Amino acid sequence: MKRLLIPAALLLAAAPAVAQDKMTVLLDWFVNPDHGPIIIAEENGYFADAGLEVEVIPPADPSAPPRLVAAGQADLAVSYQPQLHLQIHEGLPLKRVGTLVATPLNCLLVLADGPIDTPADLKGRKVGFSVGGIEEAVLSTVLGKHGVAPDDVEMINVNFSLSPALMSGQVDAVIGAFRNFELNQMEIEGVEGRCFYIEEEGVPSYDELIYVANPDRMDADRIARFLEATERATQFIVNHPEESWEIFAATSAELQDELNEKAWMDTLPRLALRPAAFDAGRYARFEAFLKDNGMIDSLNPVEAISIDVTAQ
């Protein structure tokens, strides 16, 4: 009897597809270069390789994603380390499970050819901001290093119109400007800006963008695979910055402009090369910073702030 030989390719084609584990990830804002590793992981098939089907959702309300994750309506949210500390003290069941952008992006932005040579020159002047609380504590620390009291400046809420408010002369500086975006936006419009980097001005360094999950509801294995896939994506971005930009930009016509291309290159060195890695000291220092500035009443241990899903 002759044996019937079936090509391996046909066997594979006939085999049922393995179901992918579904995950929902809520972004902090509309898709932009800060989210490069997530988009590249999807486009390059790294999520699929990890057995994941990931739905990425920009928020209608940027403040909502952490609360939606806390309520079990999504698996992960992209959020901010400073906000996480406050949200935990408010009682939200959230923990940091990974890092997306591993340095501060926030800066104190002024006009390069303006009257502000150092933060000390802001005494008696106007500073624009978008979100109170954290930004006020950050500004107070920067000013204090230069002998300026918070009451010595006038704070003006410019409603997320940071660089326009600065360029128009409405304010003399803005706090909360992202160094990878606002500086480039100003340059494109023919105005040179200058950042005072807050981590050089007395504010403890922190992770600007992190992934947060509800520890009581999360699937640690899925999140670990998600982080592995985004680590692969970050490595690809670092190794192939131009090619990765082309892949990223091709996902939406709205991304294909000079601002996003410049921001892509400026964001690249700030991405977390090891998304699952955790610096306990960094989180403890920022917790202490918030308490010292009256933002929280007590200190949480780092175990209440972050969890290593790769160890679960």
Side-chain angles (χ1 to χ4, degrees):
M1 178 184 294
K2 290 186 178 181
R3 304 178 70 181
L4 181 62
L5 299 179
I6 302 177
L10 292 179
L11 286 173
L12 289 173
V18 177
Q20 303 284 82
D21 291 323
K22 294 184 178 182
M23 290 186 69
T24 301
V25 179
L26 305 179
L27 300 182
D28 58 303
W29 198 247
F30 53 82
V31 175
N32 65 73
D34 292 341
H35 309 125
I38 301 172
I39 304 304
I40 294 298
E42 174 63 32
E43 295 301 308
N44 282 13
Y46 303 148
F47 286 144
D49 291 346
L52 297 174
E53 180 183 333
V54 179
E55 182 181 13
V56 178
I57 304 176
D61 174 3
S63 68
R67 299 183 186 280
L68 293 174
V69 167
Q73 297 183 39
D75 299 289
L76 289 176
V78 174
S79 191
Y80 306 85
Q81 180 190 334
Q83 296 297 332
L84 174 65
H85 290 265
L86 300 183
Q87 289 159 351
I88 293 173
H89 280 275
E90 292 170 3
L92 286 184
L94 294 171
K95 285 189 179 181
R96 173 262 180 210
V97 293
T99 300
L100 176 56
V101 174
T103 78
L105 295 177
N106 187 358
C107 77
L108 178 64
L109 180 62
V110 300
L111 298 175
D113 60 355
I116 310 301
D117 292 324
T118 77
D121 297 324
L122 286 171
K123 186 172 183 178
R125 296 185 179 272
K126 299 176 180 178
V127 179
F129 72 100
S130 296
V131 181
I134 293 288
E135 289 183 4
E136 292 172 299
V138 167
L139 180 63
S140 176
T141 299
V142 173
L143 293 176
K145 182 181 177 183
H146 294 268
V148 180
D151 291 342
D152 291 334
V153 301
E154 181 182 355
M155 298 290 290
I156 297 178
N157 191 328
V158 296
N159 296 318
F160 295 101
S161 185
L162 293 168
S163 52
L166 179 61
M167 290 187 289
S168 69
Q170 180 185 356
V171 295
D172 301 290
V174 292
I175 189 69
F178 271 19
R179 59 193 69 172
N180 55 339
F181 277 93
E182 269 78 12
L183 277 175
N184 286 314
Q185 182 179 11
M186 291 175 67
E187 180 185 349
I188 290 169
E189 298 189 28
V191 179
E192 185 179 357
R194 180 160 67 98
C195 267
F196 295 106
Y197 300 110
I198 60 173
E199 67 272 26
E200 298 176 359
E201 300 290 344
V203 177
S205 193
Y206 59 86
D207 298 335
E208 189 68 59
L209 291 178
I210 57 175
Y211 302 107
V212 299
N214 182 329
D216 299 323
R217 297 173 177 265
M218 71 181 187
D219 185 316
D221 174 68
R222 292 186 188 186
I223 295 174
R225 285 184 277 147
F226 173 90
L227 295 174
E228 181 181 359
T230 56
E231 180 173 337
R232 288 182 64 191
T234 303
Q235 291 168 347
F236 180 84
I237 292 169
V238 171
N239 291 337
H240 309 281
E242 295 288 351
E243 182 182 354
S244 60
W245 158 249
E246 295 296 335
I247 295 170
F248 176 80
T251 62
S252 172
E254 295 178 352
L255 297 172
Q256 298 166 18
D257 60 24
E258 185 180 5
L259 175 58
N260 278 297
E261 185 170 8
K262 286 179 175 291
W264 180 266
M265 296 304 169
D266 285 349
T267 305
L268 186 152
R270 302 187 179 280
L271 297 174
L273 296 177
R274 299 168 59 215
F278 175 61
D279 182 343
R282 167 175 283 204
Y283 281 68
R285 287 188 293 273
F286 205 85
E287 182 85 353
F289 167 77
L290 293 175
K291 186 173 185 297
D292 291 343
N293 281 273
M295 302 294 297
I296 55 178
D297 296 326
S298 60
L299 293 175
N300 279 327
V302 292
E303 295 80 10
I305 304 171
S306 180
I307 187 170
D308 181 359
V309 293
T310 67
Q312 301 303 302

